[in-house]
Amino acid sequence: MHRVLAILLALCFLCPCAVLAEEVEDPIYTGDNYTYRILEDETLTLIEYLGDSVSVTVPDHIGDYPVSRLEGTFYYKPVVSVWIPEGVTYISHSTFMQCTELESVILPSTLKFLGQAAFLNCQKLKDINLPAGLETLEDYVFLNCLSLKELRLYPSVSKMDENALVVIPDPDKVRLPETCNLLVSTGSYAEEYAKAHALPYKLLPQETASR
């Protein structure tokens, strides 16, 4: 139990502003209800949402710059639903941490990376569409997201940290809520992960239909 509490406390103190020193020196701008940085590839990373709407549509551009990353953007915000546009490829650690009212998130097909504790303690989160192009899930992405109904992991997933699918805190094993269905593809990295951690799973619908 002490180990579990230590994990939760450590993750809760992950600050989305804890970035590399050279990144801190980059100018921070404000516009369209966000603070943001301009990256070397002339795309934007959104740092903080400044609006007061609980139903948020993230912009695909601010000015002439396309949005490609979310980094701590909604940390501790009282949002209920969030739609993330095509073109976003990266959601960093802590981006939705402690969004305790969050119920649904629409992710883009372009998303490749979900960072550590990205949705930690989003206890009301029920619906999230993990896209078919997602490649990486770091540790504790959905820790304490106890209302999740389904997680679909497609063959594109090629890296999952050891505790990527820990939802229910447990020092001995990876655990999902009994009400959450895990769906994977035959022979995929995600299926091997499920087997290695003794997680119950089902095949994705198109594979079930072909059998």
Side-chain angles (χ1 to χ4, degrees):
M1 184 62 182
H2 292 300
R3 180 185 168 196
V4 174
L5 289 174
I7 289 170
L8 284 168
L9 285 171
L11 291 171
C12 283
F13 283 106
L14 275 174
C15 177
C17 57
V19 292
L20 297 176
E22 58 266 27
E23 292 179 327
V24 173
E25 296 172 359
D26 293 340
I28 296 177
Y29 304 92
T30 301
D32 288 4
N33 285 325
Y34 293 89
T35 60
Y36 59 89
R37 290 192 181 93
I38 301 174
L39 304 175
E40 289 184 0
D41 62 359
E42 296 195 339
T43 66
L44 301 184
T45 180
L46 301 185
I47 300 168
E48 183 180 4
Y49 173 60
L50 303 175
D52 55 13
S53 175
V54 298
S55 181
V56 179
T57 298
V58 175
D60 57 2
H61 283 72
I62 295 180
D64 294 329
Y65 296 98
V67 175
S68 65
R69 297 164 69 104
L70 304 183
E71 298 204 30
T73 317
F74 295 96
Y75 183 72
Y76 268 89
K77 303 295 182 181
V79 292
V80 174
S81 64
V82 177
W83 180 87
I84 300 172
E86 295 297 309
V88 172
T89 60
Y90 186 101
I91 294 177
S92 83
H93 73 80
S94 314
T95 292
F96 290 92
M97 180 187 284
Q98 297 291 354
C99 290
T100 54
E101 299 301 314
L102 184 65
E103 295 179 5
S104 66
V105 177
I106 302 298
L107 300 174
S109 64
T110 50
L111 186 69
K112 303 296 183 186
F113 181 94
L114 277 176
Q116 184 177 14
F119 293 92
L120 183 143
N121 212 34
C122 297
Q123 295 190 24
K124 293 184 180 180
L125 180 62
K126 298 177 183 177
D127 301 310
I128 186 166
N129 62 314
L130 299 180
L134 182 65
E135 297 174 355
T136 300
L137 292 91
E138 292 194 328
D139 280 329
Y140 305 111
V141 173
F142 300 108
L143 183 62
N144 224 28
C145 296
L146 302 178
S147 299
L148 279 173
K149 295 188 296 187
E150 182 177 277
L151 291 173
R152 296 189 177 208
L153 297 177
Y154 293 91
S156 58
V157 174
S158 57
K159 181 180 184 300
M160 298 173 68
D161 286 350
E162 180 68 16
N163 295 301
L165 292 188
V166 171
V167 175
I168 298 174
D170 189 315
D172 300 317
K173 61 181 180 179
V174 175
R175 290 182 62 196
L176 293 172
E178 292 183 3
T179 53
C180 180
N181 290 318
L182 176 62
L183 288 87
V184 301
S185 292
T186 302
S188 66
Y189 184 96
E191 185 183 36
E192 292 305 311
Y193 178 95
K195 288 179 177 179
H197 293 86
L199 288 173
Y201 67 89
K202 300 177 181 178
L203 295 180
L204 288 163
Q206 63 268 27
E207 296 191 13
T208 303
S210 67
R211 288 180 170 238

